[in-house]
């Protein structure tokens, strides 16, 4: 059976791959399967088995030789490793197309995220609902965030409004920002910011399409 | 003045940061500024100056000591480095919220991408327009892609439909896929695929929020 060892540090590329493993494992869980091997995961995901083995080892779960990992134990360890044991509440600001897409996405619950409400300044949007989530005026954010102990802020406004929104989130006691505006935010030390820059992926795609080489990280032979 | 050296290979993290530099440089270009230093860029972007210097050096442009880089030369070199000298035509499949957000985004022209049309199977969407771009039935994709020499396919459908869409793109001669469906696509060798997995970023955010450590890549002291 699996025994948990102390949690170690997480290399960012490995951590980013965990949701992909989790999706695969959860799909398996719906069948009658109880054990899973690295080789199986590698095959389904078209990845290098050594890389999968290294990634799974990070969770601290120990497999059984020639059998693999006990499925539910591996899932629990992985969720714990990512920090998805509990759902974290989030506010989203900027209910345009992208914001609506995120508000409407049903899968975030599987990814530790519960978007509680959306915020905007547009009078036509304030007062409406998307997927049962209220759209409120952004002025209400700091007070509500404090009262509801919101942990995550999602920014889907444009570049010009983004810093002001970040400031509101900081004043509301939000500790982590998922930023879709293509710019760097200024935030106090200790604040967590992850930038989602689609143009970055586009740059990789464009350079590869132009026939120019892109170096993959050394540890990831087949991962990307 | 800047002289171009032979293009070298591009580490993926550096390449992903290039659009951010470009945005900053283009904004500067609208002022009367003609020269720019790594120190300035580092300050504006809140990054480590050494890292900025290394990234810019990849483009092959040589700066002038104590003055920096000639702005228009640096922009041109960077665009060339990314492969954004010319706009690449793209088809997008899956006109839901996310697909509409991407179709409606005006900034892609600045990022080498020209989304020519959207595709869907939903009769309510087929025949409509988003930002002047026609929404066509997905059956028409292979023929049109071949006739128009479309280079890039963008997949914004769900997991179940994604592989079928990828197959259509391959049969239409599309060479690069930007995949937003959270799964690995099976494609022929030589096909370029970049996966945009939002859950990956969310995993990093969640683990940091849970107070657990995440290793940053060694070369990027302040970048993320």
């Amino acid at each position: 059976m699996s025994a948990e060892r102390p949690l170690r540090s997480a290399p960012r590329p490995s951590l980013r791959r965990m949701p992909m493993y989790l999706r695969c494992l959860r799909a398996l869980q719906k069948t009658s399967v109880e054990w899973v091997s690295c080789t199986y995961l590698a095959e389904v995901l078209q990845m290098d088995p050594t890389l999968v083995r290294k990634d799974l080892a990070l969770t601290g779960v120990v497999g059984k030789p020639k059998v693999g990992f006990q499925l539910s134990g591996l899932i629990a360890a992985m969720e714990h490793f990512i920090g998805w044991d509990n759902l974290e509440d989030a506010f989203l600001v900027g209910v345009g197309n992208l914001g609506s897409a995120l508000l409407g996405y049903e899968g975030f619950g599987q990814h530790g995220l519960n978007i509680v409400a959306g915020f905007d300044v547009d009078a036509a949007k304030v007062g409406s609902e998307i997927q049962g989530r209220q759209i409120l005026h952004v002025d209400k954010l700091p007070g509500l965030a404090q009262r509801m102990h919101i942990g995550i802020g999602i920014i889907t406004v444009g570049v010009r409004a983004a810093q002001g929104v970040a400031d509101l989130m900081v004043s509301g006691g939000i500790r982590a920002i998922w930023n879709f505006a293509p710019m760097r935010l200024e935030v106090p030390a200790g604040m967590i910011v992850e930038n989602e820059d689609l143009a970055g992926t586009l740059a990789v795609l464009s350079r590869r399409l132009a026939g120019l080489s892109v170096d993959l990280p050394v540890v990831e032979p087949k991962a990307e």
Side-chain angles (χ1 to χ4, degrees), chain A:
Chain A
M1 272 298 302
S2 60
E4 229 177 294
R5 284 173 297 178
L7 285 175
R8 53 202 69 184
S9 189
R12 185 174 284 258
S14 302
L15 184 52
R16 289 190 63 93
R17 283 190 291 269
M18 294 290 172
M20 193 177 58
Y21 298 132
L22 255 186
R23 252 180 241 119
C24 199
L25 297 172
R26 284 170 177 160
L28 264 184
Q29 207 174 27
K30 289 181 188 158
T31 67
S32 57
V33 170
E34 275 179 49
W35 295 83
V36 62
S37 69
C38 289
T39 323
Y40 171 83
L41 278 176
E43 221 175 275
V44 171
L45 298 168
Q46 302 183 65
M47 288 173 63
D48 180 56
T50 313
L51 182 63
V52 175
R53 196 168 322 255
K54 275 186 190 169
D55 284 347
L56 298 199
L58 289 169
T59 65
V61 164
V62 180
K64 203 168 168 176
K66 303 202 177 166
V67 183
F69 297 91
Q70 198 265 328
L71 192 54
S72 59
L74 180 57
I75 290 175
M78 201 170 271
E79 287 174 342
H80 184 59
F81 179 77
I82 302 176
W84 284 351
D85 308 272
N86 303 300
L87 281 185
E88 190 72 45
D89 285 341
F91 278 173
L92 176 144
V93 182
V95 188
N97 277 317
L98 176 61
S100 301
L102 297 180
L103 278 172
Y105 180 58
E106 310 255 356
F108 283 134
Q110 296 281 314
H111 300 119
L113 186 74
N114 177 34
I115 307 184
V116 176
F119 294 83
D120 210 293
V121 289
D122 183 348
K125 289 171 184 162
V126 171
S128 69
E129 273 193 11
I130 292 180
Q131 296 276 115
R133 289 173 187 106
Q134 278 197 290
I135 311 303
L136 307 166
H137 195 280
V138 78
D139 288 348
K140 297 203 171 152
L141 187 142
L144 271 178
Q146 281 200 320
R147 219 166 66 214
M148 298 175 71
H149 302 284
I150 302 295
I152 297 178
I154 305 171
I155 299 184
T156 48
V157 297
V159 165
R160 257 171 271 175
Q163 184 61 53
V165 169
D167 295 344
L168 284 178
M169 288 176 171
V170 170
S171 74
I174 283 175
R175 292 160 52 219
I177 292 178
W178 190 9
N179 176 37
F180 286 80
M183 59 169 295
R184 297 277 160 144
L185 300 168
E186 278 188 60
V187 293
M191 191 81 186
I192 297 161
V193 178
E194 289 290 328
N195 296 300
E196 194 75 60
D197 192 351
L198 298 183
T201 311
L202 207 40
V204 176
L205 198 72
S206 301
R207 188 173 160 93
R208 292 179 66 193
L209 193 56
L212 302 170
S213 68
V214 176
D215 292 340
L216 300 178
V218 182
V219 295
E220 305 185 283
K222 274 177 69 186
E224 300 200 78

